[in-house]
């Protein structure tokens, strides 16, 4: 059946060079590319290889050239500190241009690497764009990351300079950055030449001259600096994924494809125009923060919100509604876990009624699977479309989504909608054959990947090829598992290693979680497979209750077990559902299922560097012991 979306999608798959050649007309080039796609050396494809452009020019200067310099580019709001500010495109360019000059004065040149270890403050955005302006490659590391993780990124990137701040703020606590940075520099074999530190008011720290200088000192003699002309295939940044062991994986982004794809997504996926206010409630340390706090909205020329706060606790479960109301936000992009947190604290949505959300049009969720119960709760509260879409650090933008700027599609609860133009998504079974509709298997994307995805790994071409492009020839392996239904909707059920084998039956933990989340008392949950001598693996459920639930835990557990038996069947062998206080998560909201599984199986595990609160793991271990689950009880 023909539709506007289907026509555009088919063109992107059947004529990718024409499709992405047309999209490239929408960005600024110093020299327009004549070669759209080089396919001569798979899997190392090159988009726009003879094009010359600059990331910062496309984010700031082009809008000023078009007479829109007085428009607000960035809104900063920190409910923790009480600081708020707005920056026009001209004001932001002035700050970026000056800091780019400061970097040049400190010996940073085109191709040099700069580590940015900062909280959610405007100076972090300035540092990123300043690197882009002079052609330096930034590597943003989440502020507060463990010293050994920061050290490994300094070593792998061979960074020349580090930009940081004196501290970051979390609800109820201050994270002092300087001791973490000092220890990282001590551990790192590669030695950086300079550190620039932004002193946060009331939390100033002592600096050791001449290697360490303040943000103000760096600017002392800095001059405004113009954008450097960059080849399309040079790198904009390195973003390290939190690998389990060994050398971190440095995802790199090529400049030309990055600008083209991200600008295209703002209208086509998110339906955002230049006069709109856009908010991505993430962190610049994650890919969502790179793509949709900083780059995509500025490429588009709209207004982006930088929020230093949390969905709950800064100060309450109405924090998100206040931001949307105060700044007339059109669309919000955040993680499902943020809405689960709000739902847990305020299940009746009482805080929501205090604010005016009349300008709000859509909510996008990504980062992990959004369970239908959370989506329905948000829909009932917000009365706007709630869209679960799927993408990865490797891709930098959505693989599947409801492309609201092209054509609004119906919602299928539990699905991440259809493949976005540019992505030819398939399901491959363990016998290497293509799956039929609704058959479970590994989710892969036919090569070449569209522009803006990752062309390789930093200094690791072979690792890129072996890790991602070798298991299924001609395809990128996403390491997600699921199925595609008869209407082309993609269902992401779990990571590949979260498929559990119960007496020979392959079961998705995501499918069981979907059932558990439907229970009226459950705020969020996690299902994992633990070792079992008889059946190989057995699923157990960990459930966190909504605030104010007065039913006893044992009754809730029995009801959850019965729901799984009713909806999935006895084959799941689901007999354990434990009520716990909270789930261990990364700072970006992903539940640490693999770590919980190792605790349950009583095997050694490495403390995840991205964990939000390490104390939760001790709580989980105690819960498993009390329920006779540890080492399969």
């Amino acid at each position: 059946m023909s539709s506007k979306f289907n026509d555009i999608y088919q063109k992107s798959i059947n004529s990718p060079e024409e499709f992405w050649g047309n999209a490239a007309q929408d960005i600024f080039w110093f020299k327009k590319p004549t070669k759209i796609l080089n396919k001569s050396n798979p899997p190392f494809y090159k988009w726009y290889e003879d094009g010359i452009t600059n990331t910062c020019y496309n984010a700031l200067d082009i809008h000023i050239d078009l007479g829109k310099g007085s428009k607000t580019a960035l809104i900063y709001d920190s409910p923790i500190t009480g600081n708020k500010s707005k920056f026009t495109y001209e004001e932001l360019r002035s700050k970026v241009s000056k800091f780019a000059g400061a970097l040049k004065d400190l010996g940073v040149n085109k191709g040099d690497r700069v580590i940015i270890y900062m909280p959610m403050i405007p100076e972090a955005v300035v540092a990123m764009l300043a690197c882009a302006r002079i052609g330096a490659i930034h590597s943003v590391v989440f502020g507060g990351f463990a010293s050994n993780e920061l050290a490994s990124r300094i070593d792998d990137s061979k960074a020349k300079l580090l930009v940081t701040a004196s501290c970051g703020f979390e609800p109820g606590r201050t994270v002092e950055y300087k001791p973490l940075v000092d220890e990282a520099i001590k551990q790192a074999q590669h030695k950086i030449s300079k550190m620039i530190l932004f002193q946060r008011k009331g939390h100033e720290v002592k600096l050791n001259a001449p290697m360490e200088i303040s943000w103000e000192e760096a600017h002392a003699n800095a001059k405004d600096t113009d954008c450097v002309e960059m080849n399309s295939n040079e790198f904009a940044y390195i973003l390290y994924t939190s690998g389990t062991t060994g050398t971190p994986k440095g995802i790199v982004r090529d400049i030309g494809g990055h600008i083209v794809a991200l600008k295209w997504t703002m209208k086509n996926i998110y339906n955002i125009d230049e006069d709109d206010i856009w908010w991505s409630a993430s962190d610049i340390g994650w890919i969502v923060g790179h793509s949709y706090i900083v780059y995509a909205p500025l490429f588009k020329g709209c207004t982006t919100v930088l929020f230093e706060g949390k969905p709950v606790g800064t100060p309450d479960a109405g924090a998100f509604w206040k931001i949307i109301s105060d700044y007339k936000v059109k669309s919000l992009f955040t993680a499902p876990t943020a809405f689960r947190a709000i739902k847990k604290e305020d299940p009746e949505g009482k805080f929501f009624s205090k604010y005016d959300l009349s300008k709000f049009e859509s909510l996008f969720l990504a980062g992990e699977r959004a369970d239908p119960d959370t989506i329905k709760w948000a829909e009932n509260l917000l009365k706007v479309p709630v869209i679960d879409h799927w993408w990865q650090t490797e891709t930098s933008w959505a693989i599947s989504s409801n492309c609201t700027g092209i054509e609004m599609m119906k919602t299928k609860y539990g699905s991440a909608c259809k493949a976005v133009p540019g992505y030819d998504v398939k399901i491959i079974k363990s016998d290497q054959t293509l799956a039929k509709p609704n058959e479970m298997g590994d989710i892969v994307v036919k090569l070449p990947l569209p522009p803006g995805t990752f062309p390789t790994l930093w200094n690791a071409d072979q690792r890129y090829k072996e890790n991602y492009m070798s298991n299924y020839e001609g395809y990128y392996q996403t390491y997600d598992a699921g199925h595609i239904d008869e209407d082309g909707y993609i269902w992401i059920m779990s990571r590949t290693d979260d498929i559990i084998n119960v007496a020979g039956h392959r079961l998705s933990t995501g499918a069981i979680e979907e059932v558990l989340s439907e229970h009226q008392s459950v705020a969020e949950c996690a299902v994992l497979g633990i070792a079992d001598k008889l059946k190989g693996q057995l699923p157990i459920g960990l459930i966190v209750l909504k605030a104010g639930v007065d039913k006893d835990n044992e009754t809730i557990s029995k009801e959850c077990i019965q729901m799984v038996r009713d909806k999935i069947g006895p084959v799941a062998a689901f007999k354990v559902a434990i009520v716990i206080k909270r789930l261990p998560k990364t700072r970006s909201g992903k539940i640490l299922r693999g770590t919980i599984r190792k605790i349950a199986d009583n095997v050694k595990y490495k403390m995840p560097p991205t964990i939000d609160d390490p104390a939760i793991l001790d709580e989980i271990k105690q819960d498993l012991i009390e329920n006779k689950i540890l080492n399969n009880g």
Side-chain angles (χ1 to χ4, degrees), residues 147-192:
S147 298
N148 61 312
E149 297 294 332
L150 177 57
S152 70
R153 286 149 175 76
I154 292 170
D155 281 339
D156 193 67
S157 66
K158 302 287 189 289
K160 180 173 273 191
L161 184 138
L162 188 147
V163 184
T164 189
S166 54
C167 69
F169 299 115
E170 297 283 334
R173 68 190 178 109
T174 300
V175 182
E176 303 293 345
Y177 286 2
K178 187 64 162 51
L180 294 167
V181 171
D182 287 346
E183 179 59 28
I185 290 171
K186 183 178 167 185
Q187 288 183 23
Q189 293 181 333
H190 173 80
K191 298 305 172 188
I192 60 169

Short mmCIF file of all heavy atoms in Angstrom, two decimals, residues 147-192:
data_model
loop_
_atom_site.label_atom_id
_atom_site.label_comp_id
_atom_site.label_asym_id
_atom_site.label_seq_id
_atom_site.Cartn_x
_atom_site.Cartn_y
_atom_site.Cartn_z
N SER A 147 37.70 7.22 37.90
CA SER A 147 39.03 7.66 37.45
C SER A 147 39.66 6.69 36.46
O SER A 147 40.25 7.10 35.45
CB SER A 147 39.96 7.83 38.65
OG SER A 147 39.48 8.82 39.51
N ASN A 148 39.55 5.38 36.73
CA ASN A 148 40.19 4.42 35.82
C ASN A 148 39.54 4.44 34.44
O ASN A 148 40.21 4.23 33.42
CB ASN A 148 40.14 3.00 36.41
CG ASN A 148 38.73 2.50 36.62
OD1 ASN A 148 37.91 3.20 37.18
ND2 ASN A 148 38.44 1.29 36.18
N GLU A 149 38.24 4.71 34.38
CA GLU A 149 37.56 4.79 33.09
C GLU A 149 37.99 6.05 32.33
O GLU A 149 38.20 6.02 31.12
CB GLU A 149 36.04 4.79 33.28
CG GLU A 149 35.49 3.53 33.91
CD GLU A 149 35.66 2.31 33.02
OE1 GLU A 149 35.69 2.48 31.78
OE2 GLU A 149 35.76 1.19 33.55
N LEU A 150 38.12 7.15 33.04
CA LEU A 150 38.60 8.38 32.42
C LEU A 150 40.04 8.19 31.93
O LEU A 150 40.39 8.61 30.82
CB LEU A 150 38.50 9.54 33.41
CG LEU A 150 39.04 10.90 32.94
CD1 LEU A 150 38.36 11.35 31.67
CD2 LEU A 150 38.85 11.95 34.05
N ALA A 151 40.86 7.53 32.74
CA ALA A 151 42.26 7.28 32.36
C ALA A 151 42.34 6.45 31.08
O ALA A 151 43.17 6.72 30.19
CB ALA A 151 42.99 6.56 33.49
N SER A 152 41.48 5.43 30.96
CA SER A 152 41.53 4.57 29.77
C SER A 152 41.16 5.36 28.52
O SER A 152 41.68 5.10 27.44
CB SER A 152 40.58 3.38 29.93
OG SER A 152 39.23 3.78 29.90
N ARG A 153 40.31 6.35 28.66
CA ARG A 153 39.90 7.17 27.51
C ARG A 153 40.99 8.18 27.15
O ARG A 153 41.18 8.49 25.98
CB ARG A 153 38.56 7.85 27.82
CG ARG A 153 37.38 6.86 27.74
CD ARG A 153 36.24 7.21 28.69
NE ARG A 153 35.08 6.34 28.52
CZ ARG A 153 35.00 5.09 28.98
NH1 ARG A 153 36.02 4.54 29.63
NH2 ARG A 153 33.90 4.38 28.78
N ILE A 154 41.69 8.67 28.16
CA ILE A 154 42.84 9.54 27.88
C ILE A 154 43.89 8.75 27.12
O ILE A 154 44.45 9.23 26.12
CB ILE A 154 43.42 10.09 29.21
CG1 ILE A 154 42.44 11.07 29.87
CG2 ILE A 154 44.77 10.77 28.96
CD1 ILE A 154 42.84 11.48 31.28
N ASP A 155 44.15 7.53 27.56
CA ASP A 155 45.18 6.71 26.91
C ASP A 155 44.80 6.33 25.49
O ASP A 155 45.63 6.39 24.58
CB ASP A 155 45.42 5.43 27.74
CG ASP A 155 46.31 5.68 28.96
OD1 ASP A 155 47.04 6.68 28.96
OD2 ASP A 155 46.26 4.86 29.90
N ASP A 156 43.54 5.92 25.30
CA ASP A 156 43.14 5.45 23.97
C ASP A 156 43.07 6.59 22.96
O ASP A 156 43.44 6.43 21.80
CB ASP A 156 41.79 4.74 24.04
CG ASP A 156 41.49 3.97 22.76
OD1 ASP A 156 42.19 2.98 22.50
OD2 ASP A 156 40.57 4.37 22.01
N SER A 157 42.63 7.76 23.41
CA SER A 157 42.48 8.90 22.48
C SER A 157 43.78 9.67 22.30
O SER A 157 43.92 10.44 21.34
CB SER A 157 41.41 9.86 22.99
OG SER A 157 41.81 10.47 24.21
N LYS A 158 44.74 9.48 23.24
CA LYS A 158 45.99 10.27 23.25
C LYS A 158 45.64 11.77 23.26
O LYS A 158 46.17 12.57 22.48
CB LYS A 158 46.88 9.94 22.05
CG LYS A 158 47.28 8.47 21.96
CD LYS A 158 48.30 8.09 23.00
CE LYS A 158 48.88 6.70 22.79
NZ LYS A 158 47.93 5.61 23.07
N ALA A 159 44.76 12.14 24.17
CA ALA A 159 44.26 13.51 24.23
C ALA A 159 45.36 14.51 24.57
O ALA A 159 46.23 14.23 25.40
CB ALA A 159 43.14 13.61 25.27
N LYS A 160 45.32 15.66 23.93
CA LYS A 160 46.29 16.72 24.21
C LYS A 160 45.86 17.54 25.43
O LYS A 160 46.71 18.02 26.19
CB LYS A 160 46.44 17.63 22.98
CG LYS A 160 47.45 18.76 23.20
CD LYS A 160 47.70 19.54 21.92
CE LYS A 160 48.79 18.92 21.07
NZ LYS A 160 49.23 19.80 19.96
N LEU A 161 44.55 17.71 25.61
CA LEU A 161 44.07 18.63 26.62
C LEU A 161 42.79 18.09 27.24
O LEU A 161 42.03 17.36 26.61
CB LEU A 161 43.83 19.99 25.95
CG LEU A 161 43.40 21.19 26.80
CD1 LEU A 161 44.16 22.44 26.34
CD2 LEU A 161 41.90 21.44 26.67
N LEU A 162 42.55 18.48 28.52
CA LEU A 162 41.33 18.05 29.21
C LEU A 162 40.59 19.29 29.72
O LEU A 162 41.20 20.17 30.33
CB LEU A 162 41.68 17.12 30.37
CG LEU A 162 40.52 16.43 31.09
CD1 LEU A 162 40.94 15.04 31.58
CD2 LEU A 162 40.02 17.24 32.29
N VAL A 163 39.29 19.34 29.44
CA VAL A 163 38.44 20.43 29.92
C VAL A 163 37.50 19.86 30.97
O VAL A 163 36.80 18.87 30.71
CB VAL A 163 37.63 21.07 28.78
CG1 VAL A 163 36.83 22.27 29.30
CG2 VAL A 163 38.53 21.50 27.64
N THR A 164 37.46 20.46 32.16
CA THR A 164 36.62 19.93 33.22
C THR A 164 36.04 21.07 34.06
O THR A 164 36.19 22.25 33.73
CB THR A 164 37.41 18.92 34.09
OG1 THR A 164 36.52 18.27 35.00
CG2 THR A 164 38.53 19.61 34.87
N ALA A 165 35.37 20.71 35.14
CA ALA A 165 34.79 21.69 36.07
C ALA A 165 35.13 21.23 37.49
O ALA A 165 35.57 20.10 37.70
CB ALA A 165 33.28 21.78 35.88
N SER A 166 34.89 22.11 38.44
CA SER A 166 35.24 21.75 39.82
C SER A 166 34.31 20.68 40.37
O SER A 166 34.73 19.88 41.21
CB SER A 166 35.23 22.99 40.72
OG SER A 166 33.99 23.67 40.62
N CYS A 167 33.06 20.65 39.91
CA CYS A 167 32.13 19.65 40.43
C CYS A 167 30.89 19.54 39.57
O CYS A 167 30.64 20.36 38.68
CB CYS A 167 31.72 20.00 41.87
SG CYS A 167 30.68 21.48 41.98
N GLY A 168 30.11 18.51 39.86
CA GLY A 168 28.78 18.35 39.29
C GLY A 168 27.80 18.16 40.44
O GLY A 168 28.20 17.85 41.56
N PHE A 169 26.52 18.35 40.15
CA PHE A 169 25.51 18.23 41.20
C PHE A 169 24.51 17.13 40.88
O PHE A 169 24.00 17.05 39.77
CB PHE A 169 24.75 19.55 41.37
CG PHE A 169 25.63 20.70 41.79
CD1 PHE A 169 25.82 21.79 40.95
CD2 PHE A 169 26.28 20.70 43.01
CE1 PHE A 169 26.63 22.85 41.32
CE2 PHE A 169 27.10 21.75 43.40
CZ PHE A 169 27.28 22.83 42.55
N GLU A 170 24.26 16.30 41.86
CA GLU A 170 23.20 15.30 41.81
C GLU A 170 22.22 15.63 42.92
O GLU A 170 22.58 16.33 43.87
CB GLU A 170 23.78 13.89 42.04
CG GLU A 170 24.78 13.43 40.99
CD GLU A 170 24.13 13.00 39.69
OE1 GLU A 170 22.95 12.58 39.74
OE2 GLU A 170 24.77 13.09 38.63
N PRO A 171 20.97 15.16 42.83
CA PRO A 171 20.03 15.46 43.91
C PRO A 171 20.59 15.03 45.27
O PRO A 171 20.90 13.86 45.50
CB PRO A 171 18.80 14.61 43.54
CG PRO A 171 18.87 14.47 42.07
CD PRO A 171 20.34 14.39 41.75
N GLY A 172 20.79 16.00 46.15
CA GLY A 172 21.24 15.70 47.51
C GLY A 172 22.73 15.51 47.68
O GLY A 172 23.20 15.27 48.79
N ARG A 173 23.51 15.63 46.58
CA ARG A 173 24.96 15.46 46.76
C ARG A 173 25.74 16.23 45.70
O ARG A 173 25.23 16.52 44.61
CB ARG A 173 25.35 13.99 46.74
CG ARG A 173 25.20 13.29 45.41
CD ARG A 173 25.40 11.79 45.53
NE ARG A 173 25.21 11.13 44.25
CZ ARG A 173 26.16 10.57 43.54
NH1 ARG A 173 27.41 10.61 43.97
NH2 ARG A 173 25.91 9.97 42.39
N THR A 174 26.98 16.53 46.05
CA THR A 174 27.91 17.18 45.12
C THR A 174 28.97 16.17 44.73
O THR A 174 29.55 15.49 45.58
CB THR A 174 28.56 18.40 45.79
OG1 THR A 174 27.54 19.32 46.17
CG2 THR A 174 29.53 19.08 44.84
N VAL A 175 29.23 16.06 43.43
CA VAL A 175 30.28 15.16 42.94
C VAL A 175 31.51 16.01 42.64
O VAL A 175 31.51 16.81 41.70
CB VAL A 175 29.82 14.40 41.67
CG1 VAL A 175 30.91 13.44 41.21
CG2 VAL A 175 28.51 13.66 41.91
N GLU A 176 32.53 15.85 43.47
CA GLU A 176 33.78 16.62 43.27
C GLU A 176 34.56 15.99 42.12
O GLU A 176 34.97 14.83 42.19
CB GLU A 176 34.61 16.60 44.56
CG GLU A 176 33.88 17.12 45.80
CD GLU A 176 33.58 18.61 45.73
OE1 GLU A 176 34.17 19.31 44.87
OE2 GLU A 176 32.74 19.08 46.53
N TYR A 177 34.77 16.77 41.06
CA TYR A 177 35.46 16.24 39.86
C TYR A 177 36.98 16.22 40.00
O TYR A 177 37.64 15.32 39.49
CB TYR A 177 35.10 17.08 38.63
CG TYR A 177 33.71 16.86 38.09
CD1 TYR A 177 32.82 15.99 38.70
CD2 TYR A 177 33.29 17.53 36.95
CE1 TYR A 177 31.55 15.80 38.19
CE2 TYR A 177 32.01 17.34 36.43
CZ TYR A 177 31.14 16.47 37.05
OH TYR A 177 29.89 16.28 36.54
N LYS A 178 37.53 17.23 40.67
CA LYS A 178 38.99 17.39 40.67
C LYS A 178 39.73 16.15 41.21
O LYS A 178 40.71 15.70 40.58
CB LYS A 178 39.38 18.64 41.46
CG LYS A 178 40.87 19.01 41.38
CD LYS A 178 41.30 19.39 39.97
CE LYS A 178 42.60 20.16 39.92
NZ LYS A 178 43.72 19.59 40.64
N PRO A 179 39.31 15.56 42.33
CA PRO A 179 40.02 14.35 42.81
C PRO A 179 39.94 13.20 41.80
O PRO A 179 40.91 12.45 41.63
CB PRO A 179 39.29 13.99 44.11
CG PRO A 179 38.64 15.25 44.55
CD PRO A 179 38.28 15.97 43.30
N LEU A 180 38.79 13.08 41.12
CA LEU A 180 38.64 12.02 40.11
C LEU A 180 39.56 12.26 38.92
O LEU A 180 40.20 11.34 38.41
CB LEU A 180 37.18 11.95 39.64
CG LEU A 180 36.14 11.53 40.68
CD1 LEU A 180 34.73 11.82 40.19
CD2 LEU A 180 36.29 10.05 41.02
N VAL A 181 39.64 13.52 38.50
CA VAL A 181 40.51 13.88 37.38
C VAL A 181 41.98 13.70 37.75
O VAL A 181 42.77 13.16 36.97
CB VAL A 181 40.23 15.33 36.92
CG1 VAL A 181 41.29 15.78 35.91
CG2 VAL A 181 38.84 15.44 36.31
N ASP A 182 42.34 14.14 38.94
CA ASP A 182 43.73 14.00 39.39
C ASP A 182 44.17 12.54 39.39
O ASP A 182 45.28 12.20 38.94
CB ASP A 182 43.90 14.58 40.80
CG ASP A 182 43.86 16.10 40.82
OD1 ASP A 182 43.96 16.71 39.73
OD2 ASP A 182 43.70 16.68 41.91
N GLU A 183 43.30 11.67 39.89
CA GLU A 183 43.63 10.25 39.94
C GLU A 183 43.71 9.66 38.53
O GLU A 183 44.58 8.82 38.24
CB GLU A 183 42.57 9.50 40.77
CG GLU A 183 42.79 8.00 40.89
CD GLU A 183 44.12 7.61 41.51
OE1 GLU A 183 44.67 8.40 42.32
OE2 GLU A 183 44.63 6.51 41.19
N ALA A 184 42.84 10.11 37.63
CA ALA A 184 42.86 9.62 36.25
C ALA A 184 44.15 10.02 35.55
O ALA A 184 44.77 9.21 34.84
CB ALA A 184 41.66 10.17 35.48
N ILE A 185 44.56 11.26 35.75
CA ILE A 185 45.81 11.73 35.14
C ILE A 185 47.00 10.96 35.69
O ILE A 185 47.95 10.63 34.96
CB ILE A 185 45.96 13.26 35.37
CG1 ILE A 185 44.92 14.01 34.52
CG2 ILE A 185 47.37 13.74 35.03
CD1 ILE A 185 44.83 15.49 34.82
N LYS A 186 46.93 10.64 36.96
CA LYS A 186 48.00 9.85 37.60
C LYS A 186 48.05 8.44 37.01
O LYS A 186 49.12 7.89 36.76
CB LYS A 186 47.73 9.80 39.11
CG LYS A 186 48.79 9.08 39.93
CD LYS A 186 48.40 9.15 41.41
CE LYS A 186 49.24 8.20 42.23
NZ LYS A 186 48.77 8.17 43.64
N GLN A 187 46.88 7.85 36.79
CA GLN A 187 46.82 6.47 36.27
C GLN A 187 47.17 6.39 34.78
O GLN A 187 47.72 5.39 34.33
CB GLN A 187 45.41 5.90 36.46
CG GLN A 187 45.05 5.55 37.89
CD GLN A 187 43.67 4.92 37.98
OE1 GLN A 187 43.17 4.37 37.00
NE2 GLN A 187 43.06 4.99 39.15
N ALA A 188 46.82 7.42 34.02
CA ALA A 188 46.99 7.36 32.57
C ALA A 188 48.46 7.32 32.18
O ALA A 188 49.28 8.06 32.72
CB ALA A 188 46.32 8.57 31.93
N GLN A 189 48.79 6.44 31.23
CA GLN A 189 50.16 6.37 30.72
C GLN A 189 50.44 7.54 29.80
O GLN A 189 51.54 8.09 29.79
CB GLN A 189 50.37 5.04 29.99
CG GLN A 189 50.31 3.85 30.94
CD GLN A 189 50.55 2.54 30.21
OE1 GLN A 189 50.28 2.42 29.01
NE2 GLN A 189 51.07 1.55 30.93
N HIS A 190 49.43 7.93 29.01
CA HIS A 190 49.57 9.11 28.15
C HIS A 190 49.34 10.36 28.99
O HIS A 190 48.38 10.42 29.77
CB HIS A 190 48.56 9.06 27.00
CG HIS A 190 48.52 10.31 26.18
ND1 HIS A 190 49.45 10.58 25.20
CD2 HIS A 190 47.68 11.39 26.23
CE1 HIS A 190 49.18 11.75 24.67
NE2 HIS A 190 48.11 12.27 25.27
N LYS A 191 50.20 11.32 28.85
CA LYS A 191 50.10 12.53 29.66
C LYS A 191 49.55 13.70 28.85
O LYS A 191 50.09 14.04 27.80
CB LYS A 191 51.47 12.90 30.25
CG LYS A 191 52.02 11.82 31.19
CD LYS A 191 51.05 11.48 32.31
CE LYS A 191 51.49 10.28 33.13
NZ LYS A 191 50.44 9.84 34.10
N ILE A 192 48.45 14.29 29.35
CA ILE A 192 47.90 15.47 28.69
C ILE A 192 48.82 16.66 28.96
O ILE A 192 49.55 16.69 29.96
CB ILE A 192 46.47 15.77 29.18
CG1 ILE A 192 46.44 16.03 30.68
CG2 ILE A 192 45.51 14.65 28.80
CD1 ILE A 192 45.12 16.58 31.18
#
